[in-house]
Amino acid sequence: MAFRILLTVIVLGFFGSLNAKEYGITGLDSISTPYSGLFDSDEILQLTLKGNMRKPLHDKSQKPKFYPLTLSYQAEDDSEKSLTVEVKARGNFRRLRGNCTYAPLMLKF
């Protein structure tokens, strides 16, 4: 039964993408988001995370939760752009204090 559902989702996704191409709809080109343009270039970004970093970095639980932070970066027009992101500690081995000083972080835009 699970195989049938998976196959149905794959087939619908394939035909849905064909239909989208027929009407000229592609990805996020026409959608304006707070971070549109953030990853348009291959240039190195200088990012700053602001907020209480102690909570996500010290969350050593089996299922760490997301914490709100502010991500800031310099836009091409030299203005500083900020957006709210959610951050949580990720990984198993490196999240343990004896293995790494700082846990790796997952950012959710």
Side-chain angles (χ1 to χ4, degrees):
M1 183 66 177
F3 178 74
R4 290 172 116 180
I5 293 172
L6 178 63
L7 184 61
T8 303
V9 169
I10 292 171
V11 169
L12 288 176
F14 176 75
F15 286 112
S17 66
L18 288 179
N19 197 18
K21 289 177 186 176
E22 179 181 318
Y23 291 104
I25 301 170
T26 57
L28 296 175
D29 295 342
S30 62
I31 299 173
S32 178
T33 62
Y35 48 87
S36 60
L38 181 61
F39 300 109
D40 288 347
S41 172
D42 290 336
E43 303 272 330
I44 296 174
L45 287 173
Q46 297 294 327
L47 301 175
T48 305
L49 283 173
K50 297 176 186 174
N52 187 354
M53 292 294 295
R54 186 174 305 257
K55 288 182 180 180
L57 288 176
H58 293 298
D59 190 352
K60 305 295 183 191
S61 64
Q62 288 294 322
K63 291 190 176 191
K65 63 180 189 173
F66 282 99
Y67 298 93
L69 293 176
T70 302
L71 180 118
S72 302
Y73 66 96
Q74 194 82 20
E76 288 182 3
D77 61 356
D78 289 333
S79 63
E80 184 175 295
K81 303 285 185 177
S82 297
L83 48 127
T84 303
V85 295
E86 292 182 317
V87 178
K88 77 172 184 174
R90 57 170 292 278
N92 292 319
F93 180 79
R94 293 187 298 157
R95 200 173 63 220
L96 300 174
R97 180 165 310 281
N99 299 325
C100 280
T101 305
Y102 298 106
L105 298 175
M106 175 186 290
L107 276 68
K108 184 166 90 172
F109 290 85

